[in-house]
Amino acid sequence: MSTIVCATDLPASDRIVVDAVDVLYLAFRVAPTERAVSEYVHEHHPAVPTAEVPSILQALVARGALRTFTDRRTSRYLGAAWATPERPVSRRQTVLALVSNAVVAYGRVVRESDVCEYAARCAASIVADARLTPQLIRRDIHGLAHTGDVLIAGTVRGGAGTGSGSNLYLPASMDARRAELMPREPLTWLDYVARVFAAIWGERRARASALGGPPAAITTAEMRAAMLADLAEDGQPIATSVWHRDLADAMTTVNAMLALARSARPVVRAVPGRAAVWLPIGVEDTDEATQGAFAKDSDRVVEATRRAMVRADAPAVTAKEIEMECELDPSLRLSGGTPLARLLADVARERITGAGGQRCERRTRRIVRVGLLGRSAAYVAPYGDRRGELLEAAKFHVQTQGVMQLARERDLPGQYGGVSGARCPMVGLGRIRLVALRAGEQISDASRILDQLGDAGGARARAELQRLVAEATEVQQQARAWERFRRFPACTPNGIDPCGPTLTALELRDLLAPFSPTAAACDSVEKVVPRYARLIRRVKNPAFLRRQSKDPRLAAEFLFDRVDALFYATRQWGGIRAKVNAAIAKEELGALRDVRFVIAAVESEAATERLRAVVALAFLQGAAVVGLLKGRARNDVDPAVRETALWAYGFAGGPGATELLREAARDDEHARVRKAAGVMLGCGDDWWWRC
């Protein structure tokens, strides 16, 4: 057996020469000459005189630290040479010498794989003589670390499971040089990623210190861009040329950051509520630190929602308020082509398509749709430990604002005052009963919210709700007094029906399509509702089930009022007679949609009241209406009522309206009716719209 001479046993200058010989041998795979060693020492260790190198080499050969052989032209030296031993040494001593020489050869602390590589390249003969295998070398290194002959100077990331080992080893005799021998370059892929992250964070911390405030969080996209810009000598990114990683695949960087965050010694952590945004361990994710770090548009929308909640001092906000936040901060402006409304709907979606195309519940909803504020969807961005509290507060806020918004739309004092516009007493009675019913609903809703509000509620909301209760109570008392001090026929209808004829969005589209190319071009509910929601009154759908229902009547939370849609269409595309009659009907009906009171008004003795009732019936329409209108067109004693009833019958969709009009133009006893019927016949097939 041979003895290996440890380089650590040599003087400093001799160790430098041995190191030079080893480095040159590893670089060129051939024994270096005396001249090559001298040039290397002169370039890298100028403190050692070049003239002393030959004598040092001869001394090293004499001590057995180097082996020399001579060819015909020059002498060559083989690093870490083996001398003839005086006595056998143990295998563990041999492995300790291998660790020591590997440290000198690499110029740093070494891993198990480094020792095995050094043994295979520079000590093949002794490895063969000692019958050392990589497995035995690794086992003996662990034993030496247990006895303290070898120290664990540190660890590397991502070494476990790769066969290279995670520990960095240093002989105990070299502990004084530990700081000098610690690696200057990353030894693994994860070490490299951690260093890139540390470099970016260091730059941001320095810049933030100069400007004031905390440094901003780092996104995965920024990490990937930094690694793409970190080029090796060959012009390729170091991540690709050294670590053989495909940076074109975005998941390469994502997986590395996740590994750094989930390791036993994590150096980064994900920012809660963000996708692919990272901070170092121990750094708090304050708003200032995370406000500019957004990996994708969904992150920007979530942050814009949170800021809108803070700015509005409300637990829920609408898309308009979120859009305003996106406009105020350039970092929140959407980079993709998806509209904000659709992006909000996607992020707030309860069910998503999972693996295999199966629909499943979304585990974490960063934005939740909690209802409507006015006629706009309301969203909340719950986060952290307050998630449940924020959700409950948002739902309660939506209920409170819904009651207030509904009260503003109803305008009970205005409705009560507008009853005077009804010239027919029976219609006025229906409107008064409707006002009283709405007042009762407002009292009930506002009182319920007040009870839930408790002592913790805001003073402003409490005062507004109390005002609504007082206002509705006063209007209700006035409405009951109005009805109590008036007399009505015995045939007066009982109660009041608050529901009237309604249209879904697509039914409204079909109603307006013959007159409006814009309406005809609307091929979805998402296009109809924004276009006409502010022009035509909408009412809450009592049959609403859920937005994803296949039945349009069950999927719509609000429906369009058909009577108001007819008013709108008549004002936009109707003839003179149609527009005048629409104005009369709107003044007479107000919000009343219970046809029973209008039918009762048709029996009035006053011709003016009958005429206004006939006009109102034209817009209420329905099976019970057309027969009554046909009878009035033929038999009413007043020619003006008969003339109006002819138009109303056609507008209400009565069958055979044109034949009835021809009959009146030919047989009516009054010239006015005959003339008006002739004029309407001359307006074409849809004469009730054009005349």
Side-chain angles (χ1 to χ4, degrees):
M1 181 173 292
S2 299
T3 302
I4 183 169
V5 179
C6 293
T8 55
D9 299 332
L10 303 175
S13 58
D14 293 7
R15 284 202 304 267
I16 290 175
V17 173
V18 172
D19 181 35
V21 174
D22 283 345
V23 169
L24 291 171
Y25 176 78
L26 290 173
F28 300 105
R29 303 298 189 273
V30 66
T33 64
E34 179 181 304
R35 179 178 178 182
V37 174
S38 299
E39 291 177 351
Y40 181 87
V41 170
H42 175 71
E43 180 179 356
H44 294 87
H45 302 280
V48 178
T50 307
E52 295 182 7
V53 172
S55 59
I56 293 175
L57 287 171
Q58 294 299 326
L60 291 171
V61 170
R63 292 189 56 181
L66 293 178
R67 175 186 296 178
T68 181
F69 65 91
T70 306
D71 58 16
R72 294 181 180 180
R73 293 173 295 177
T74 183
S75 295
R76 296 179 182 273
Y77 298 90
L78 179 62
W82 310 103
T84 303
E86 297 178 358
R87 56 186 175 83
V89 296
S90 69
R91 190 184 70 209
R92 183 168 290 190
Q93 288 178 320
T94 303
V95 172
L96 176 60
L98 284 173
V99 173
S100 300
N101 282 308
V103 169
V104 174
Y106 287 104
R108 58 169 173 80
V109 291
V110 293
R111 295 173 293 172
E112 297 166 7
S113 59
D114 297 328
V115 178
C116 294
E117 180 183 4
Y118 176 83
R121 290 182 177 180
C122 302
S125 59
I126 190 61
V127 168
D129 293 343
R131 298 180 180 179
L132 283 172
T133 63
Q135 292 77 12
L136 290 175
I137 292 175
R138 294 176 192 275
R139 189 181 70 180
D140 286 340
I141 289 175
H142 294 167
L144 291 167
H146 182 71
T147 59
D149 295 308
V150 170
L151 305 177
I152 299 178
T155 58
V156 294
R157 301 181 183 279
T162 63
S164 60
S166 298
N167 293 331
L168 296 174
Y169 295 100
L170 180 70
S173 59
M174 303 179 69
D175 191 27
R177 299 177 58 198
R178 178 183 298 212
E180 173 191 346
L181 294 173
M182 291 305 292
R184 302 291 185 270
E185 298 296 330
L187 301 179
T188 64
W189 161 243
L190 289 185
D191 266 346
Y192 172 71
V193 176
R195 290 201 182 193
V196 172
F197 182 87
I200 298 176
W201 183 253
E203 293 175 0
R204 294 199 172 180
R205 187 169 54 186
R207 185 167 62 248
S209 178
L211 299 177
I218 301 173
T219 66
T220 304
E222 291 169 333
M223 284 289 299
R224 179 168 170 265
M227 288 189 287
L228 283 170
D230 189 14
L231 302 180
E233 294 181 359
D234 58 359
Q236 294 294 321
I238 290 178
T240 301
S241 60
V242 176
W243 306 113
H244 311 292
R245 303 291 171 160
D246 181 15
L247 291 180
D249 183 0
M251 290 307 297
T252 300
T253 310
V254 172
N255 291 335
M257 297 302 293
L258 289 174
L260 289 176
R262 296 171 181 172
S263 67
R265 297 177 295 113
V267 293
V268 301
R269 64 181 183 84
V271 176
R274 297 286 185 85
V277 179
W278 313 90
L279 283 172
I281 293 295
V283 177
E284 296 184 0
D285 50 337
T286 60
D287 292 339
E288 294 83 1
T290 60
Q291 63 180 355
F294 306 104
K296 49 188 178 181
D297 281 348
S298 59
D299 290 341
R300 297 182 177 91
V301 168
V302 173
E303 179 63 19
T305 304
R306 292 180 181 173
R307 293 190 194 178
M309 291 164 57
V310 174
R311 188 182 299 276
D313 191 21
V317 290
T318 63
K320 185 176 182 180
E321 294 167 308
I322 298 171
E323 183 179 14
M324 184 181 300
E325 293 298 328
C326 293
E327 292 296 327
L328 289 175
D329 189 347
S331 67
L332 293 179
R333 293 174 186 168
L334 305 184
S335 58
T338 306
L340 176 63
R342 180 171 296 178
L343 194 58
L344 275 170
D346 289 342
V347 177
R349 200 179 300 278
E350 298 180 25
R351 296 177 63 83
I352 59 176
T353 303
Q358 297 295 324
R359 299 288 291 176
C360 59
E361 294 289 335
R362 174 174 267 158
R363 291 185 179 179
T364 303
R365 296 170 63 194
R366 295 190 291 161
I367 292 182
V368 179
R369 185 181 185 273
V370 289
L372 295 175
L373 286 175
R375 293 294 184 262
S376 302
Y379 298 95
V380 59
Y383 57 91
D385 297 336
R386 298 186 59 209
R387 181 178 180 86
E389 178 186 343
L390 287 172
L391 272 175
E392 291 301 319
K395 293 176 181 178
F396 184 71
H397 175 73
V398 166
Q399 293 178 11
T400 304
Q401 294 300 315
V403 170
M404 295 180 181
Q405 176 67 25
L406 189 58
R408 287 192 293 269
E409 292 178 356
R410 284 173 173 172
D411 184 20
L412 293 178
Q415 283 193 39
Y416 179 78
V419 171
S420 59
R423 305 295 177 82
C424 304
M426 293 301 295
V427 174
L429 174 62
R431 291 177 64 171
I432 281 293
R433 288 184 178 177
L434 182 61
V435 170
L437 176 67
R438 298 303 188 199
E441 292 175 351
Q442 182 167 309
I443 293 171
S444 175
D445 293 342
S447 299
R448 174 175 52 82
I449 297 296
L450 275 172
D451 293 340
Q452 296 177 4
L453 196 59
D455 297 332
R460 182 177 178 183
R462 179 181 299 281
E464 178 66 14
L465 290 168
Q466 290 173 344
R467 185 191 68 79
L468 293 179
V469 171
E471 176 185 87
T473 302
E474 181 180 358
V475 170
Q476 188 181 55
Q477 292 173 352
Q478 292 174 346
R480 289 173 177 173
W482 188 96
E483 182 177 356
R484 188 165 52 249
F485 291 108
R486 282 169 174 76
R487 293 185 177 181
F488 298 97
C491 61
T492 301
N494 296 321
I496 183 70
D497 182 7
C499 301
T502 54
L503 299 170
T504 65
L506 296 183
E507 288 173 343
L508 175 67
R509 186 270 315 270
D510 296 338
L511 174 67
L512 302 182
F515 315 106
S516 170
T518 301
C522 294
D523 56 358
S524 65
V525 174
E526 289 75 12
K527 293 183 179 179
V528 176
V529 173
R531 176 70 179 83
Y532 295 103
R534 299 183 182 277
L535 301 174
I536 300 172
R537 189 168 71 96
R538 292 200 295 167
V539 296
K540 197 167 184 65
N541 180 14
F544 171 68
L545 181 61
R546 59 188 181 89
R547 294 166 62 87
Q548 292 76 24
S549 177
K550 295 182 179 180
D551 186 345
R553 281 278 166 179
L554 302 180
E557 195 167 352
F558 286 86
L559 297 173
F560 288 94
D561 183 347
R562 191 179 72 183
V563 175
D564 205 53
L566 290 172
F567 288 156
Y568 170 78
T570 306
R571 290 195 308 270
Q572 293 293 319
W573 302 287
I576 297 298
R577 181 187 293 271
K579 289 181 179 180
V580 171
N581 288 338
I584 294 172
K586 188 172 185 178
E587 181 185 25
E588 187 69 29
L589 289 173
L592 179 66
R593 298 295 181 262
D594 192 336
V595 72
R596 298 176 301 163
F597 291 89
V598 186
I599 290 175
V602 174
E603 304 299 331
S604 173
E605 295 180 358
T608 302
E609 295 178 9
R610 297 199 306 275
L611 185 145
R612 295 174 70 88
V614 163
V615 171
L617 287 176
F619 289 89
L620 290 172
Q621 301 183 351
V625 167
V626 292
L628 181 60
L629 290 176
K630 189 172 185 178
R632 287 294 161 183
R634 285 177 171 172
N635 304 320
D636 197 279
V637 296
D638 189 277
V641 175
R642 295 200 302 274
E643 175 188 340
T644 303
L646 286 171
W647 172 86
Y649 183 75
F651 192 87
T658 302
E659 287 73 12
L660 181 64
L661 194 62
R662 290 196 183 100
E663 177 186 329
R666 182 181 64 251
D667 301 333
D668 195 276
E669 62 184 20
H670 201 285
R672 170 181 173 175
V673 177
R674 295 195 300 272
K675 181 179 179 181
V679 171
M680 285 188 277
L681 281 172
C683 291
D685 293 338
D686 53 349
W687 48 267
W688 48 86
W689 280 100
R690 297 179 179 276
C691 65

